[in-house]
Amino acid sequence: MITVITIDGPSGAGKGTIAQMLALELDWNILDSGALYRTLAYFMKENNINLDNFEENQNLLKERFKVSFDPGTPGEPVKVLFENEDITSIVRTEEMAKLTSTLAAEPVIREFIKPCQRDFMQLPGLIADGRDMGTVIFSDAKHKIFLTASLEERAKRRQTQLKRQGLKVNMRTLLHELEERDRKDTEREHSPLVPAEDSVLIDTSNLKPEGVVKEIKTYL
Ligand code: DC
């Protein structure tokens, strides 16, 4: 039996940071499902694949869409490795997030990515970060966490993150984009962002990452 801890929540709630801290501390595998969707969006863009020709490109997708993650170092985003390349900075842009959010609402995309996500369930254990980890993909997980934070706090965190990547950001645009993405992710028909009934809710607005990890450990 492989233990899975799911960490779901909206953008900027702290999922990435907390998943990384737990994966490093436990020395477990990590699945950043948002980055998986982003990589698929990037791959589709690079190969002129869209929703209309998605089916006819299934073989190419199945053959080449193999992503891995490296939890990296605290304070840096989890590394996304694809076709022997570190594509972290390519996929972690707001432009890619916007495109991904639209694609991720499509059932054909979610169905394709489902087995790719389950493949990450490997010994000694898995920390799965996303929107529907506890509700759909690993509904059988033993431990489920749902992180939230105020919109303003989440936008501030996102701003810091993007600045660290050397990207210019406008706070008003960021707030608007985050709100729009929240709306899309929570209102979509397929796998909307909702806490699993058996998840533990943590509001991270006034907590440092160490404080969140402490709460999770207490629960575990
Ligand atoms: O967590 P993130 O910002 O990297 O996610 C990018 C987009 O992918 C986000 O708008 C919603 C979507 N997503 C999803 O629909 N389901 C997941 N399990 C993870 C991400």
Side-chain angles (χ1 to χ4, degrees), residues 8-12 15 32-38 91-92 94 96-105 110 113 117 129-133 137 158 181-182 184-185 188 190-191:
D8 289 305
S11 304
K15 303 184 301 292
D32 180 339
S33 61
L36 200 64
Y37 277 98
R38 286 171 187 252
V91 294
R92 293 200 191 280
E94 283 307 284
M96 203 49 91
K98 219 161 135 183
L99 173 66
T100 306
S101 185
T102 307
L103 275 178
R110 301 202 80 83
I113 234 164
Q117 297 179 112
D129 147 2
R131 305 291 192 292
D132 61 343
M133 298 295 99
I137 308 297
R158 200 78 191 102
R181 200 132 42 92
D182 280 356
K184 259 196 209 154
D185 294 344
R188 69 176 176 224
H190 303 278
S191 307

